[in-house]
PDB file of all heavy atoms in Angstrom:
ATOM      1  N   GLN B1013     -14.884   5.545   0.159  1.00 95.00           N
ATOM      2  CA  GLN B1013     -14.200   5.090   1.378  1.00 95.00           C
ATOM      3  C   GLN B1013     -13.390   6.227   2.005  1.00 95.00           C
ATOM      4  O   GLN B1013     -13.344   6.369   3.219  1.00 95.00           O
ATOM      5  CB  GLN B1013     -13.262   3.930   1.058  1.00 95.00           C
ATOM      6  CG  GLN B1013     -13.918   2.565   1.144  1.00 95.00           C
ATOM      7  CD  GLN B1013     -12.910   1.497   0.755  1.00 95.00           C
ATOM      8  OE1 GLN B1013     -12.398   1.505  -0.367  1.00 95.00           O
ATOM      9  NE2 GLN B1013     -12.611   0.610   1.676  1.00 95.00           N
ATOM     10  N   VAL B1014     -12.725   6.974   1.144  1.00 97.00           N
ATOM     11  CA  VAL B1014     -11.935   8.104   1.634  1.00 97.00           C
ATOM     12  C   VAL B1014     -12.831   9.084   2.378  1.00 97.00           C
ATOM     13  O   VAL B1014     -12.485   9.567   3.461  1.00 97.00           O
ATOM     14  CB  VAL B1014     -11.179   8.798   0.472  1.00 97.00           C
ATOM     15  CG1 VAL B1014     -10.656  10.172   0.898  1.00 97.00           C
ATOM     16  CG2 VAL B1014     -10.034   7.917  -0.001  1.00 97.00           C
ATOM     17  N   LYS B1015     -14.000   9.343   1.836  1.00 97.00           N
ATOM     18  CA  LYS B1015     -14.929  10.267   2.499  1.00 97.00           C
ATOM     19  C   LYS B1015     -15.395   9.695   3.843  1.00 97.00           C
ATOM     20  O   LYS B1015     -15.542  10.420   4.817  1.00 97.00           O
ATOM     21  CB  LYS B1015     -16.136  10.542   1.597  1.00 97.00           C
ATOM     22  CG  LYS B1015     -15.789  11.443   0.421  1.00 97.00           C
ATOM     23  CD  LYS B1015     -17.023  11.672  -0.424  1.00 97.00           C
ATOM     24  CE  LYS B1015     -16.728  12.574  -1.609  1.00 97.00           C
ATOM     25  NZ  LYS B1015     -17.875  12.639  -2.528  1.00 97.00           N
ATOM     26  N   HIS B1016     -15.618   8.386   3.860  1.00 97.00           N
ATOM     27  CA  HIS B1016     -16.028   7.729   5.109  1.00 97.00           C
ATOM     28  C   HIS B1016     -14.911   7.828   6.160  1.00 97.00           C
ATOM     29  O   HIS B1016     -15.173   8.163   7.328  1.00 97.00           O
ATOM     30  CB  HIS B1016     -16.379   6.268   4.820  1.00 97.00           C
ATOM     31  CG  HIS B1016     -16.677   5.467   6.059  1.00 97.00           C
ATOM     32  ND1 HIS B1016     -17.743   5.750   6.895  1.00 97.00           N
ATOM     33  CD2 HIS B1016     -16.028   4.413   6.615  1.00 97.00           C
ATOM     34  CE1 HIS B1016     -17.740   4.894   7.904  1.00 97.00           C
ATOM     35  NE2 HIS B1016     -16.716   4.072   7.754  1.00 97.00           N
ATOM     36  N   VAL B1017     -13.679   7.565   5.732  1.00 97.00           N
ATOM     37  CA  VAL B1017     -12.535   7.645   6.657  1.00 97.00           C
ATOM     38  C   VAL B1017     -12.381   9.074   7.169  1.00 97.00           C
ATOM     39  O   VAL B1017     -12.133   9.302   8.356  1.00 97.00           O
ATOM     40  CB  VAL B1017     -11.235   7.150   5.969  1.00 97.00           C
ATOM     41  CG1 VAL B1017     -10.011   7.486   6.810  1.00 97.00           C
ATOM     42  CG2 VAL B1017     -11.304   5.641   5.726  1.00 97.00           C
ATOM     43  N   ALA B1018     -12.560  10.056   6.295  1.00 98.00           N
ATOM     44  CA  ALA B1018     -12.452  11.463   6.703  1.00 98.00           C
ATOM     45  C   ALA B1018     -13.507  11.785   7.762  1.00 98.00           C
ATOM     46  O   ALA B1018     -13.239  12.503   8.725  1.00 98.00           O
ATOM     47  CB  ALA B1018     -12.608  12.381   5.497  1.00 98.00           C
ATOM     48  N   HIS B1019     -14.682  11.208   7.583  1.00 97.00           N
ATOM     49  CA  HIS B1019     -15.733  11.410   8.588  1.00 97.00           C
ATOM     50  C   HIS B1019     -15.328  10.782   9.921  1.00 97.00           C
ATOM     51  O   HIS B1019     -15.455  11.406  10.984  1.00 97.00           O
ATOM     52  CB  HIS B1019     -17.065  10.841   8.099  1.00 97.00           C
ATOM     53  CG  HIS B1019     -18.121  10.800   9.170  1.00 97.00           C
ATOM     54  ND1 HIS B1019     -18.711  11.952   9.660  1.00 97.00           N
ATOM     55  CD2 HIS B1019     -18.647   9.759   9.869  1.00 97.00           C
ATOM     56  CE1 HIS B1019     -19.566  11.611  10.617  1.00 97.00           C
ATOM     57  NE2 HIS B1019     -19.550  10.299  10.757  1.00 97.00           N
ATOM     58  N   LEU B1020     -14.807   9.543   9.867  1.00 97.00           N
ATOM     59  CA  LEU B1020     -14.360   8.884  11.103  1.00 97.00           C
ATOM     60  C   LEU B1020     -13.267   9.708  11.791  1.00 97.00           C
ATOM     61  O   LEU B1020     -13.197   9.767  13.017  1.00 97.00           O
ATOM     62  CB  LEU B1020     -13.805   7.481  10.794  1.00 97.00           C
ATOM     63  CG  LEU B1020     -14.780   6.409  10.328  1.00 97.00           C
ATOM     64  CD1 LEU B1020     -14.014   5.140   9.987  1.00 97.00           C
ATOM     65  CD2 LEU B1020     -15.830   6.132  11.399  1.00 97.00           C
ATOM     66  N   ALA B1021     -12.386  10.316  10.986  1.00 98.00           N
ATOM     67  CA  ALA B1021     -11.255  11.081  11.517  1.00 98.00           C
ATOM     68  C   ALA B1021     -11.660  12.507  11.861  1.00 98.00           C
ATOM     69  O   ALA B1021     -10.828  13.300  12.301  1.00 98.00           O
ATOM     70  CB  ALA B1021     -10.108  11.087  10.509  1.00 98.00           C
ATOM     71  N   ARG B1022     -12.922  12.835  11.651  1.00 98.00           N
ATOM     72  CA  ARG B1022     -13.437  14.193  11.904  1.00 98.00           C
ATOM     73  C   ARG B1022     -12.600  15.242  11.168  1.00 98.00           C
ATOM     74  O   ARG B1022     -12.081  16.185  11.763  1.00 98.00           O
ATOM     75  CB  ARG B1022     -13.455  14.498  13.414  1.00 98.00           C
ATOM     76  CG  ARG B1022     -14.342  13.570  14.220  1.00 98.00           C
ATOM     77  CD  ARG B1022     -15.823  13.758  13.877  1.00 98.00           C
ATOM     78  NE  ARG B1022     -16.675  12.940  14.728  1.00 98.00           N
ATOM     79  CZ  ARG B1022     -17.198  11.758  14.346  1.00 98.00           C
ATOM     80  NH1 ARG B1022     -16.949  11.257  13.138  1.00 98.00           N
ATOM     81  NH2 ARG B1022     -17.990  11.090  15.163  1.00 98.00           N
ATOM     82  N   LEU B1023     -12.471  15.010   9.860  1.00 98.00           N
ATOM     83  CA  LEU B1023     -11.788  15.959   8.988  1.00 98.00           C
ATOM     84  C   LEU B1023     -12.741  16.356   7.874  1.00 98.00           C
ATOM     85  O   LEU B1023     -13.213  15.482   7.126  1.00 98.00           O
ATOM     86  CB  LEU B1023     -10.558  15.312   8.336  1.00 98.00           C
ATOM     87  CG  LEU B1023      -9.236  15.236   9.088  1.00 98.00           C
ATOM     88  CD1 LEU B1023      -8.241  14.395   8.289  1.00 98.00           C
ATOM     89  CD2 LEU B1023      -8.665  16.626   9.346  1.00 98.00           C
ATOM     90  N   ALA B1024     -13.037  17.643   7.756  1.00 98.00           N
ATOM     91  CA  ALA B1024     -13.832  18.098   6.616  1.00 98.00           C
ATOM     92  C   ALA B1024     -12.935  18.073   5.380  1.00 98.00           C
ATOM     93  O   ALA B1024     -11.821  18.575   5.428  1.00 98.00           O
ATOM     94  CB  ALA B1024     -14.330  19.518   6.876  1.00 98.00           C
ATOM     95  N   ILE B1025     -13.384  17.413   4.319  1.00 96.00           N
ATOM     96  CA  ILE B1025     -12.580  17.470   3.092  1.00 96.00           C
ATOM     97  C   ILE B1025     -13.445  17.879   1.906  1.00 96.00           C
ATOM     98  O   ILE B1025     -14.626  17.551   1.832  1.00 96.00           O
ATOM     99  CB  ILE B1025     -11.827  16.146   2.765  1.00 96.00           C
ATOM    100  CG1 ILE B1025     -12.770  14.950   2.654  1.00 96.00           C
ATOM    101  CG2 ILE B1025     -10.732  15.872   3.757  1.00 96.00           C
ATOM    102  CD1 ILE B1025     -12.070  13.704   2.089  1.00 96.00           C
ATOM    103  N   THR B1026     -12.820  18.582   0.993  1.00 96.00           N
ATOM    104  CA  THR B1026     -13.517  19.012  -0.214  1.00 96.00           C
ATOM    105  C   THR B1026     -13.508  17.863  -1.226  1.00 96.00           C
ATOM    106  O   THR B1026     -12.747  16.903  -1.079  1.00 96.00           O
ATOM    107  CB  THR B1026     -12.827  20.219  -0.854  1.00 96.00           C
ATOM    108  OG1 THR B1026     -11.494  19.816  -1.250  1.00 96.00           O
ATOM    109  CG2 THR B1026     -12.718  21.396   0.115  1.00 96.00           C
TER     110      THR B1026
END
Side-chain angles (χ1 to χ4, degrees):
Chain B
Q1013 271 178 300
V1014 165
K1015 287 180 180 172
H1016 174 63
V1017 169
H1019 170 71
L1020 291 176
R1022 299 293 184 260
L1023 277 173
I1025 57 170
T1026 63

